[in-house]
């Protein structure tokens, strides 16, 4: 247990440092803009590109892993959506936000820091894959479901075009494509560029975790909905368990890749849940509560999954 605490403490410690800074220092949301830009557009893409470009090509061509993990995310999205339909008596827009909150992990800010702290550099490739394909899934589902609900008044052709643009201009996806391409052609960056990429890679996880804490601190806790416990149970427990069962049922995956998928799935709802709710003016206060309370509860659940993984309960010992 001491080893598990040693793994989890730096991870959650950085989040709580950011949370404390956000609470005790009056940092306006606009003050985080450059930090978020650095993380999303510079540091994390540099990390993914550098490590993917050094990965053997045979590890980058098996699509069964991303198919299984993305299908698991879609499945819990559907389950959370059904919970939303029951809770709202058929409100598609609110149910969609609940579905996103019940399935969309905070993979951007928290994923790389957690998986590489627990599993090491071997987790980089599966982390990048889950991050890219889960993001792509949400980029597709959110606008399409909102268009179905009538909240998004744009023509469907414009909505589909926006989906394509968001997918193929997202920095994580571009960095992953570039890293995979570099691995296929055997590109090695010059020493000066490689050193800069290493600097940026080292800054990615701590900056992302600290910024995550500040962002959560800036979100007000709104009304706590009755459906919140069910949504958090789906997100924090059912999602990682379903990923584990599905990958083991298919079989043939590296234990580190299975452990990575479980850790990515057990993360709390992404802060983007609130951003999407705000964008469509739907379920905003309750989405804020879902993100903040989910992050707090995840201290216990994520630590539990780390314990299970490091003791070989969910995968062979790593």
């Amino acid at each position: 247990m001491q080893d598990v605490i040693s793994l989890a403490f730096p991870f959650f410690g950085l989040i709580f440092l950011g949370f404390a800074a956000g609470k005790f220092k009056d940092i306006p949301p606009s003050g985080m803009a450059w930090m978020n830009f650095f993380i999303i557009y510079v540091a994390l893409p540099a990390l993914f590109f550098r490590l993917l470009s050094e990965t053997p090509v045979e590890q980058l061509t098996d699509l069964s892993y991303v198919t299984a993990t993305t299908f698991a995310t879609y499945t819990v999205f559907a389950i959370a959506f059904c919970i939303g339909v029951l809770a709202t008596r058929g409100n598609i827009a609110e149910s969609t936000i609940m579905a996103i909150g019940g399935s969309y992990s905070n993979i951007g800010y928290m994923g790389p820091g957690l998986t590489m702290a627990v599993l090491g550099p071997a987790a980089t490739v599966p982390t990048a894959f889950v991050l890219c394909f889960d993001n792509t899934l949400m980029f597709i589902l959110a606008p399409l479901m909102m268009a179905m609900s009538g909240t998004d008044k744009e023509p469907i052709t414009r909505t589909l075009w926006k989906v394509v643009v968001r997918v193929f201009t997202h920095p994580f996806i571009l960095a992953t494509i570039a890293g995979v391409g570099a691995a296929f052609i055997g590109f090695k960056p010059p020493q000066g560029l490689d050193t800069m990429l290493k600097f940026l890679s080292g800054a990615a996880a701590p900056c992302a975790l600290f910024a995550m804490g500040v962002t959560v601190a800036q979100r007000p806790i709104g009304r706590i909905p009755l459906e919140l416990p069910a949504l958090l149970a789906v997100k924090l427990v059912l999602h990682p368990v379903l990923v584990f069962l599905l990958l083991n049922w298919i079989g043939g995956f590296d234990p580190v890749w299975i452990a990575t998928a479980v850790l990515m799935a057990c993360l709390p709802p992404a802060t983007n849940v609130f951003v999407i709710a705000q964008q469509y003016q739907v379920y905003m206060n309750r989405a804020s509560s879902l993100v903040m309370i989910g992050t707090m509860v995840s201290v216990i659940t994520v630590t539990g999954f780390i314990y299970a993984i490091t003791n070989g309960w969910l995968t062979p010992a790593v």
Side-chain angles (χ1 to χ4, degrees):
M1 192 64 193
Q2 185 176 356
D3 292 339
V4 173
I5 293 173
S6 296
L7 289 171
F9 179 79
F11 177 80
F12 285 109
L14 282 168
I15 295 174
F16 282 113
L17 280 176
F19 184 85
K23 284 295 184 185
F24 294 110
K25 183 67 176 176
D26 186 18
I27 303 173
S30 60
M32 291 295 295
W34 280 112
M35 172 70 86
N36 289 325
F37 182 88
F38 171 75
I39 294 165
I40 299 298
Y41 286 88
V42 182
L44 285 172
L47 172 68
F48 291 140
F49 172 80
R50 186 175 69 84
L51 295 176
L52 284 171
S53 66
E54 298 172 355
T55 301
V57 172
E58 59 269 16
Q59 293 187 21
L60 304 175
T61 54
D62 186 0
L63 296 181
S64 59
Y65 180 79
V66 295
T67 301
T69 55
T70 307
F71 177 75
T73 301
Y74 175 77
T75 301
V76 293
F77 177 94
I79 293 170
F81 182 82
C82 291
I83 293 172
V85 168
L86 292 173
T88 64
R89 298 182 180 180
N91 187 310
I92 294 178
E94 291 191 357
S95 299
T96 297
I97 300 300
M98 293 185 209
I100 296 170
S103 60
Y104 191 14
S105 300
N106 204 324
I107 47 179
Y109 282 88
M110 299 175 71
L114 177 64
T115 57
M116 280 182 273
V118 176
L119 302 167
T124 303
V125 175
T127 296
F129 281 168
V130 171
L131 194 153
C132 286
F133 282 87
D134 273 15
N135 270 327
T136 300
L137 179 66
M138 293 304 156
F139 292 163
I140 295 171
L141 288 176
L144 289 182
M145 294 299 291
M146 286 303 181
M148 288 176 57
S149 73
T151 303
D152 191 347
K153 305 298 183 182
E154 294 183 342
I156 189 64
T157 52
R158 183 169 176 79
T159 298
L160 292 173
W161 173 247
K162 287 170 66 175
V163 168
V164 172
V165 171
R166 286 193 68 188
V167 168
F168 289 101
T169 59
H170 194 283
F172 293 168
I173 295 173
L174 291 176
T176 299
I177 293 172
V180 171
F184 268 91
I185 66 175
F187 172 75
K188 301 295 182 183
Q191 183 174 353
L193 177 59
D194 188 55
T195 301
M196 186 178 72
L197 290 173
K198 287 179 181 177
F199 287 165
L200 292 171
S201 300
C207 288
L209 294 172
F210 185 87
M212 165 69 191
V214 176
T215 302
V216 170
Q218 293 172 340
R219 300 280 185 250
I221 293 185
R223 181 170 70 85
I224 299 176
L226 294 176
E227 65 272 9
L228 186 141
L231 293 174
L232 290 183
V234 169
K235 178 72 222 59
L236 300 177
V237 180
L238 179 60
H239 191 183
V241 170
L242 181 60
V243 165
F244 170 75
L245 293 175
L246 186 57
L247 290 177
N248 275 273
W249 177 68
I250 295 172
F253 298 112
D254 187 312
V256 172
W257 285 48
I258 297 175
T260 300
V262 170
L263 288 175
M264 295 286 274
C266 77
L267 291 171
T271 53
N272 279 348
V273 176
F274 176 79
V275 174
I276 296 170
Q278 196 172 41
Q279 176 184 349
Y280 292 102
Q281 297 293 297
V282 173
Y283 203 76
M284 290 183 291
N285 289 336
R286 287 171 285 175
S288 178
S289 299
L290 181 63
V291 171
M292 188 166 186
I293 295 173
T295 302
M296 292 175 170
V297 175
S298 73
V299 176
I300 298 171
T301 56
V302 170
T303 302
F305 277 104
I306 293 174
Y307 184 83
I309 287 170
T310 55
N311 283 275
W313 295 355
L314 292 180
T315 60
V318 293

